[in-house]
Amino acid sequence: ALVLMRGLDPKAHGKSSRIACSVAMAACSKASAWEASLSALEGMQGEGLLLDNMGFVAAVGAFDRGSRWEGAVQLLARSRLDDLLPDAMAFNATISTCGKNGRWESALQLFADLLRQRLSPTVVSFGSVMNACERGQQWRRALSVLRQMEEASSRPDAMALSSAISACAKGAQWGRALQLLRNADADGQTWLDVFVYNAAASACEKGQEWRQALSLIDEAYVAGVSWDETSYNVAISACSVGQQWQQAIEMFGKLQQRALEPSEITFSSTMQACYLASQWSLALSLFADLRRCGSTPRRGDGGATPQALLPAAAVATEWRPNLVTTTVAISACKQGKLWQEALGLFRGLQLGASTPPDADAYSATLLALMGAGEVELATALYNDSVSEGVAFEGSSVSKASLSALPPSRPRLPARRPPPPPPRPPAP
């Protein structure tokens, strides 16, 4: 597409050249070649060619893939200066780009501009704005947009409804999230797909309503909605909240039976459920299976010892340790009184993790060392955390535990003797 576009003379072909550029940009955007798409855009602008709506949407898609939301907003503003009068589809693409890049304020402003230009917002328009509000943890604004949608006699689709429910989940409003689902179910106008049920169940799980979360997942299955990986992850997390480790393991097995690949979230949630139920050996077995990249997890009822199941931290060549799962594994080591393995996993985080150890990782390792009486190592690790600026507020390490360690104090410079008093003037 790019070769054909470059072979056209914009002065000789005019409209055909503009269409060719738009098609080339769209082709590049679909192929994730966003840089080539933006290069075509620069070429069009250099030749004085104006974008049509297809080219505009393709260009915004390129800005989106390149995480350059400012470029999309500037392009929309320029198109209005060129009297192109962008339609709702152009606004939708720009709003979506702003939302994906965490610019919910810009998304709301663009939505207001769309209404001021007397354009009719589509279901995608409302859904894109609510998605931006959800990503920005603005649940009140998301519900306000949903009310606007209903007042405009526009029926919410599953995407818009799941965005509103997810916004409530992030705002710790599980009751409102559940009510949105119930209202939509009673209305019968919106197809409740797996994303809607997952969002509502996740809201309940985050609100510590684990029984309600599991009930919603079961309800989706009865309604003929097929579970996806997220459904199982939410169910396993709910089991973790309710300390139902056996049910969490059962869910893990069902996920694999359906040929779904467990993710880091699946492993960490299942490990957390086992750890909270003091099933530390099983948690470490799951962690070892994660290190082996997807083999069927053991039940922890025989076979190798936990020490043998734990790979050495020094051999982490291809697999990069994940902060969440490794922290749970360190906590499991603490339960099993395996302080050396806990320290080895922590060092692996320092060397190989994409995210440096946080307060939870330091806390879990400190507790493992202090529980084993390794005060000297715990002191050195605590001093390291102080130098890294780690704050332990809200972590599992209590103030009493930390006070038992020698505080880390900077070395003070040696005091110089005071200067001698001035001599009195000679008589």
Side-chain angles (χ1 to χ4, degrees):
L2 282 174
V3 172
L4 292 174
M5 179 198 73
R6 289 164 182 160
L8 290 175
D9 183 359
K11 296 180 181 179
H13 294 86
K15 183 178 180 180
S16 298
S17 181
R18 184 179 67 182
I19 295 174
C21 288
S22 298
V23 171
M25 289 168 59
C28 292
S29 183
K30 288 182 180 179
S32 299
W34 62 270
E35 292 174 321
S37 183
L38 294 182
S39 176
L41 173 64
E42 292 177 0
M44 286 186 67
Q45 293 173 337
E47 296 293 344
L49 295 175
L50 299 178
L51 280 173
D52 56 11
N53 280 320
M54 180 178 68
F56 180 88
V57 173
V60 172
F63 282 121
D64 182 21
R65 285 177 172 80
S67 300
R68 296 170 60 180
W69 66 272
E70 303 98 327
V73 174
Q74 292 169 3
L75 185 63
L76 181 65
R78 177 171 177 173
S79 66
R80 283 189 273 182
L81 292 176
D82 293 335
D83 294 328
L84 288 181
L85 299 178
D87 59 7
M89 185 181 296
F91 272 95
N92 294 347
T94 313
I95 290 171
S96 177
T97 298
C98 290
K100 290 177 182 177
N101 287 274
R103 310 303 300 186
W104 61 268
E105 306 99 324
S106 299
L108 285 173
Q109 183 60 52
L110 288 171
F111 184 68
D113 292 344
L114 181 151
L115 297 178
R116 273 195 293 269
Q117 293 192 24
R118 300 187 180 280
L119 293 172
S120 298
T122 64
V123 174
V124 176
S125 306
F126 287 108
S128 298
V129 177
M130 279 189 278
N131 183 261
C133 294
E134 179 256 319
R135 290 172 181 265
Q137 302 185 19
Q138 301 294 317
W139 67 270
R140 287 187 176 87
R141 288 183 169 87
L143 294 184
S144 176
V145 175
L146 182 62
R147 283 192 294 270
Q148 284 182 266
M149 190 176 190
E150 294 168 345
E151 291 169 359
S153 301
S154 182
R155 186 177 66 194
D157 63 355
M159 171 192 162
L161 184 60
S162 62
S163 293
I165 292 175
S166 295
C168 291
K170 291 184 177 180
Q173 301 292 318
W174 70 269
R176 294 177 188 270
L178 186 59
Q179 191 60 49
L180 288 176
L181 175 67
R182 295 303 179 211
N183 291 345
D185 189 24
D187 181 59
Q189 298 297 312
T190 303
W191 166 247
L192 304 181
D193 62 8
V194 66
F195 300 105
V196 176
Y197 276 107
N198 286 347
S202 179
C204 294
E205 178 264 321
K206 288 181 172 61
Q208 304 297 304
E209 297 292 329
W210 63 273
R211 289 188 177 88
Q212 184 64 66
L214 291 176
S215 176
L216 285 175
I217 295 294
D218 289 336
E219 184 180 319
Y221 182 79
V222 172
V225 178
S226 297
W227 291 11
D228 61 3
E229 180 193 320
T230 303
S231 307
Y232 284 99
N233 288 342
V234 172
I236 291 171
S237 295
C239 292
S240 177
V241 172
Q243 298 189 23
Q244 304 295 311
W245 69 271
Q246 292 169 314
Q247 194 169 354
I249 290 294
E250 182 181 353
M251 291 285 182
F252 192 103
K254 287 182 178 180
L255 179 144
Q256 291 187 311
Q257 290 172 8
R258 287 197 54 197
L260 295 173
E261 186 174 349
S263 64
E264 295 268 8
I265 296 175
T266 314
F267 275 98
S268 63
S269 299
T270 313
M271 289 170 57
Q272 182 76 3
C274 295
Y275 161 71
L276 291 176
S278 298
Q279 299 292 324
W280 59 269
S281 178
L282 184 53
L284 294 181
S285 297
L286 286 165
F287 183 71
D289 288 321
L290 174 60
R291 293 289 298 263
R292 284 188 290 269
C293 301
S295 60
T296 303
R298 297 180 178 85
R299 296 277 177 175
D301 51 2
T305 61
Q307 291 92 328
L309 289 170
L310 277 171
V315 298
T317 54
E318 296 182 359
W319 185 81
R320 295 177 65 84
N322 174 274
L323 179 59
V324 176
T325 51
T326 306
T327 300
V328 178
I330 292 172
S331 298
C333 289
K334 181 257 179 185
Q335 280 186 342
K337 303 185 185 306
L338 305 173
W339 67 268
Q340 291 173 316
E341 286 78 3
L343 186 58
L345 290 173
F346 181 85
R347 295 305 183 199
L349 275 179
Q350 289 182 312
L351 295 174
S354 57
T355 305
D358 59 2
D360 290 333
Y362 271 100
S363 299
T365 312
L366 281 170
L367 288 174
L369 294 174
M370 289 188 287
E374 297 292 332
V375 179
E376 184 176 348
L377 288 174
T379 302
L381 185 63
Y382 175 66
N383 291 342
D384 180 57
S385 71
V386 171
S387 64
E388 294 294 331
V390 176
F392 288 96
E393 289 80 2
S395 66
S396 56
V397 174
S398 64
K399 291 183 179 180
S401 299
L402 292 178
S403 63
L405 298 175
S408 175
R409 295 189 177 92
R411 294 182 179 178
L412 298 177
R415 289 188 178 183
R416 296 179 179 178
R423 295 181 180 180

